[in-house]
Amino acid sequence: MSNNRSGVFFGGLMLGATIGALTGLLVAPRTGRETRKILKKSANAIPELAEDLSTSVQIQADRLSAIALRNWDETLDRLQEAIAAGVDASQRESQVLKRQTSVEDSDSLPQQLERS
């Protein structure tokens, strides 16, 4: 999760820096011509900035996907182990119950013979 937060932080940092730079240019004591030149340069840099941001987001998404897949695999393994343990325990309990039933049946046979 810290990877996701750092990606969001850096994305916000880049966006804030861009907005701050544009605001600073607009309120700076320059002539209109100078300000337009600077804005044009900044506007030309936006696609590169957007590409960098997109790459950063993609890297973070890939990391999160890998983490989620790893967590899913670990959860699936634990679930399979728990099911196998439950099946084994159920089979052992079934065998114990069969033995108890057969012992009770063999004990009750002489009593049934005595009654007849």
Side-chain angles (χ1 to χ4, degrees):
M1 291 305 257
S2 65
N3 288 337
N4 185 29
R5 289 183 182 160
S6 65
V8 170
F9 173 77
F10 286 118
L13 182 69
M14 292 171 66
L15 181 63
T18 302
I19 292 171
L22 289 175
T23 303
L25 289 173
L26 292 174
V27 297
R30 292 192 178 100
T31 64
R33 178 174 288 149
E34 291 174 1
T35 303
R36 283 190 296 275
K37 284 181 184 179
I38 293 172
L39 285 175
K40 186 175 180 180
K41 288 180 184 179
S42 296
N44 290 338
I46 288 177
E48 184 179 324
L49 179 64
E51 184 178 339
D52 290 346
L53 183 59
S54 173
T55 302
S56 175
V57 168
Q58 183 63 41
I59 289 170
Q60 293 299 327
D62 290 344
R63 286 180 186 166
L64 288 174
S65 177
I67 290 169
L69 185 59
R70 189 176 336 118
N71 288 342
W72 173 252
D73 288 342
E74 291 172 2
T75 301
L76 187 59
D77 289 343
R78 287 193 310 261
L79 182 59
Q80 288 173 339
E81 290 171 5
I83 289 172
V87 168
D88 289 342
S90 176
Q91 289 174 347
R92 284 193 304 267
E93 187 65 24
S94 176
Q95 290 172 354
V96 168
L97 289 174
K98 284 180 184 179
R99 285 188 205 128
Q100 287 177 350
T101 303
S102 66
V103 168
E104 289 173 0
D105 287 345
S106 65
D107 287 345
S108 65
L109 183 62
Q111 291 174 356
Q112 288 176 356
L113 290 175
E114 288 177 4
R115 290 183 191 159
S116 8

